[in-house]
Amino acid sequence: MIYNSTRDSSVGYTASQAITQGISVDGGLFVPEEIPPITSNEIRMLAKVNYSSRAAYILSKYLTDFSIEEIEDFTSLAYNSERFRSPAVAPIHGLYDGVNLLELWHGPTCAFKDMALQILPHLMRISARKAAQDKTIIILVATSGDTGKAALEGFRDAENTRIIVFYPEDGVSPIQKLQMITQEGENVAVCGIKGNFDDAQTGVKAIFNDPKTAKRLDTNNMMFSSANSINWGRLLPQIVYYISAYCDLIDSGKINADDLINVVVPTGNFGNILSAYYARKMGLPIAKLICASNQNRVLTDFINTGEYNRNRSFYTTTSPSMDILISSNLERLLYDISGCKDDEIRYLMRELKEKGRYAVSDKIFADIKSLFWAGWCSDEQTAQTIKNVFENHDYLCDTHTAVAVNVYEQYRKSTGDKTPVIIASTANPYKFPASVLDALGKNGADVNEFEKMDRLYEITGKEIPEPLRSIHEKGKRFTDVCNPADMNKMIYKLLGI
Ligand SMILES: *Cc1c(COP(=O)(O)O)cnc(C)c1O
């Protein structure tokens, strides 16, 4: 399997090259030259095996420069009962008739990023051996909250790697911040940015593409890579859980093999929903992909009008991991839907960079419109949804999941479509205890985050995951904060080069 760049189809890399490098030198993202099919028989066969085996089977279709032993080795290291608190790894929770939540937060950091970031360090380790002459890989991360912690946890003390995480100083929840600044491990560093997530992400992308920085690293036998969802190694493991969820629906008798389902994804950088798109393209029977946004509704507007326009106010919402105005992975969708027209993508991305907006061709717009449905909801609607879901279905969901549930309900009302549905549940509610408490009408303003967790437990009786319960016992290790313009200097300082 060869990987091309979305901005230059003539680039032809192996999977291990694409994963170690993270992003193409032309600024494009790596995509597989073709999407391998999965048949109905294969899906039925996968329904009989565990998550780790499902993952190995699916990954092997894309990682053709890895041996099956290598792949089975790292799927079993990533997806086991020491790492995930549920034996199913990503279990389905039936909410009401035909509506299922896919719980993606049973990993060590209680958010869906663990699904990919528990396996990426293994992919990176083997890829570096194959494609990067055993250089030390410097993982550079910009985070809106959850990626940072999940990447730190995944890469901590991993062989031959170091990891540096930048987060918007005032743009993450107090629990998310604590999770990061208390991170243990010898090869980790964390730094706040005076700016928002887009500033952090733009800074990281600029550093990746700066030849001077690359040279300085190279002379120190180091190279950058990315653990953001621009890295193919992040997206690939996410394809697995959509196929796995489908297997589980068959297994539990909720659908028959080959039945169509819809998928709803609370979306930020467009990585998670793009993985569902690839699963569909492989052959998973998905009818509609429903893209849910918060008040930063740039994707809702794009999918409904064909114009992407980031020139708008940025809002800090109660679903911070979706507070994004530049959804990087959309580039991969546009490339695929355009029929791999790299010149068209170069043009659109230049428009985005220079004018902050672009409009896609009528053809691309029509194709997107036929496959996707998009909606958004406000913080008030998100809170109301948390309350309704708890009162009507005895289920406590986090703010991001609630955005998805709300948008799904809008979809169902406006279309009447009752196709069985999987709604991606992307974080455990105890990651956002203040917003969830508020939503239930219990004001927790007077107490700290840990007391809020306790209060939420008293009211709901829903278990607090161990990794969140124990953060307050950990010491704070990282207090650096810098301007986006000084990220480069900070990196040199942290690496001692
Ligand atoms: C990262 C994240 C999202 C957004 O996912 P994308 O792949 O960036 O679209 C949604 N919810 C939570 C809890 C997240 O951590």
Side-chain angles (χ1 to χ4, degrees):
M1 170 84 66
I2 292 298
Y3 290 79
N4 304 134
S5 161
T6 49
R7 298 189 198 176
D8 181 358
S9 305
S10 72
V11 168
Y13 277 18
T14 61
S16 49
Q17 287 171 323
I19 290 168
T20 39
Q21 200 168 310
I23 188 167
S24 185
V25 285
D26 46 56
L29 307 180
F30 292 115
V31 284
E33 197 169 39
E34 56 199 270
I35 303 295
I38 188 161
T39 63
S40 170
N41 275 343
E42 287 175 288
I43 293 171
R44 265 179 270 214
M45 182 272 288
L46 290 177
K48 300 193 179 74
V49 300
N50 70 13
Y51 192 91
S52 157
S53 304
R54 289 172 185 173
Y57 190 83
I58 295 157
L59 262 53
S60 67
K61 290 178 181 275
Y62 289 89
L63 303 175
T64 49
D65 55 332
F66 290 63
S67 71
I68 186 70
E69 290 76 24
E70 284 170 334
I71 295 171
E72 282 174 349
D73 182 46
F74 52 64
T75 60
S76 61
L77 284 168
Y79 304 120
N80 60 49
S81 58
E82 259 169 62
R83 303 272 164 175
F84 286 83
R85 296 178 303 283
S86 162
V89 179
I92 294 271
H93 178 96
L95 202 58
Y96 56 94
D97 59 274
V99 180
N100 305 283
L101 293 172
L102 172 57
E103 294 182 344
L104 299 171
W105 39 259
H106 292 275
T109 76
C110 308
F112 96 95
K113 307 292 196 293
D114 288 326
M115 298 301 304
L117 283 162
Q118 281 297 307
I119 195 165
L120 184 64
H122 300 295
L123 280 168
M124 195 69 85
R125 173 170 57 87
I126 309 283
S127 295
R129 196 182 297 155
K130 292 182 194 291
Q133 296 94 40
D134 277 328
K135 283 195 183 129
T136 301
I137 305 272
I138 311 298
I139 304 290
L140 208 52
V141 179
T143 185
S144 56
D146 291 332
T147 297
K149 176 61 184 179
L152 288 161
E153 195 55 46
F155 279 95
R156 86 181 215 204
D157 297 326
E159 210 180 298
N160 250 357
T161 51
R162 294 174 69 174
I163 171 163
I164 302 174
V165 171
F166 290 102
Y167 68 93
E169 197 195 3
D170 299 316
V172 299
S173 84
I175 293 281
Q176 288 177 316
K177 184 166 174 176
L178 262 178
Q179 277 187 304
M180 288 189 278
I181 66 176
T182 58
Q183 178 65 44
E184 291 157 357
E186 291 306 310
N187 62 341
V188 305
V190 176
C191 179
I193 287 284
K194 293 181 188 143
N196 62 33
F197 170 70
D198 289 315
D199 298 322
Q201 177 164 258
T202 304
V204 162
K205 277 194 184 167
I207 293 167
F208 272 130
N209 289 326
D210 175 25
K212 269 205 308 240
T213 314
K215 191 131 192 261
R216 184 148 167 182
L217 261 76
D218 193 53
T219 49
N220 288 281
N221 201 31
M222 296 173 174
M223 71 179 279
F224 281 133
S225 191
S226 165
N228 279 100
S229 56
I230 54 175
N231 194 315
W232 175 249
R234 269 284 300 280
L235 288 182
L236 175 56
Q238 296 179 172
I239 297 173
V240 174
Y241 50 71
Y242 290 107
I243 298 174
S244 176
Y246 191 88
C247 290
D248 288 344
L249 289 179
I250 298 178
D251 219 29
S252 61
K254 288 187 169 164
I255 59 168
N256 295 315
D258 304 331
D259 282 355
L260 282 169
I261 60 165
N262 290 330
V263 170
V264 189
V265 186
T267 296
N269 224 357
F270 212 75
N272 200 359
I273 195 166
L274 183 71
S275 301
Y277 170 84
Y278 286 134
R280 180 181 184 280
K281 191 148 186 189
M282 289 177 78
L284 194 70
I286 295 175
K288 278 277 174 195
L289 293 165
I290 298 164
C291 176
S293 299
N294 64 25
Q295 197 178 358
N296 295 298
R297 46 183 271 200
V298 64
L299 286 167
T300 313
D301 293 344
F302 171 65
I303 290 169
N304 289 318
T305 67
E307 189 196 50
Y308 194 96
N309 188 348
R310 63 153 301 192
N311 303 314
R312 58 176 72 211
S313 304
F314 176 86
Y315 299 99
T316 300
T317 72
T318 55
S319 44
S321 302
M322 296 154 67
D323 290 346
I324 291 176
L325 293 180
I326 304 176
S327 293
S328 302
N329 275 300
L330 193 58
E331 180 169 345
R332 285 184 163 111
L333 178 77
L334 297 175
Y335 180 78
D336 200 70
I337 286 198
S338 74
C340 307
K341 296 219 174 73
D342 55 359
D343 51 344
E344 196 162 347
I345 303 306
R346 278 199 303 275
Y347 169 74
L348 294 176
M349 293 304 124
R350 196 162 22 170
E351 291 279 294
L352 180 63
K353 189 166 177 203
E354 287 166 8
K355 301 184 187 140
R357 62 197 289 173
Y358 59 78
V360 295
S361 67
D362 292 347
K363 166 91 176 60
I364 292 185
F365 178 47
D367 285 350
I368 289 179
K369 199 80 194 127
S370 71
L371 186 51
F372 288 86
W373 195 92
W376 69 285
C377 73
S378 66
D379 280 356
E380 293 74 44
Q381 290 170 302
T382 305
Q384 190 59 47
T385 302
I386 291 175
K387 190 169 193 293
N388 292 348
V389 168
F390 183 65
E391 289 176 355
N392 300 335
H393 308 295
D394 188 32
Y395 187 88
L396 192 62
C397 65
D398 95 293
T399 46
H400 305 76
T401 307
V403 168
V405 172
N406 185 288
V407 168
Y408 169 68
E409 284 168 352
Q410 294 178 35
Y411 169 80
R412 186 154 158 155
K413 207 180 230 170
S414 98
T415 62
D417 184 2
K418 291 191 177 139
T419 303
V421 65
I422 287 173
I423 301 177
S425 173
T426 49
N428 181 281
Y430 285 99
K431 263 198 116 151
F432 306 95
S435 301
V436 177
L437 258 188
D438 279 349
L440 297 179
K442 314 288 175 181
N443 193 330
D446 52 326
V447 298
N448 73 28
E449 290 284 298
F450 299 102
E451 289 164 322
K452 283 175 194 166
M453 282 192 206
D454 289 340
R455 202 172 275 188
L456 200 49
Y457 175 74
E458 282 159 26
I459 296 165
T460 65
K462 305 294 177 196
E463 193 192 336
I464 308 177
E466 193 283 328
L468 296 179
R469 213 177 332 122
S470 63
I471 342 174
H472 66 293
E473 296 154 11
K474 304 216 163 102
K476 294 181 189 171
R477 294 182 64 199
F478 301 102
T479 52
D480 283 328
V481 178
C482 76
N483 284 311
D486 297 326
M487 286 164 71
N488 235 330
K489 266 188 247 153
M490 180 57 77
I491 290 168
Y492 295 149
K493 185 184 124 187
L494 293 169
L495 293 178
I497 62 172

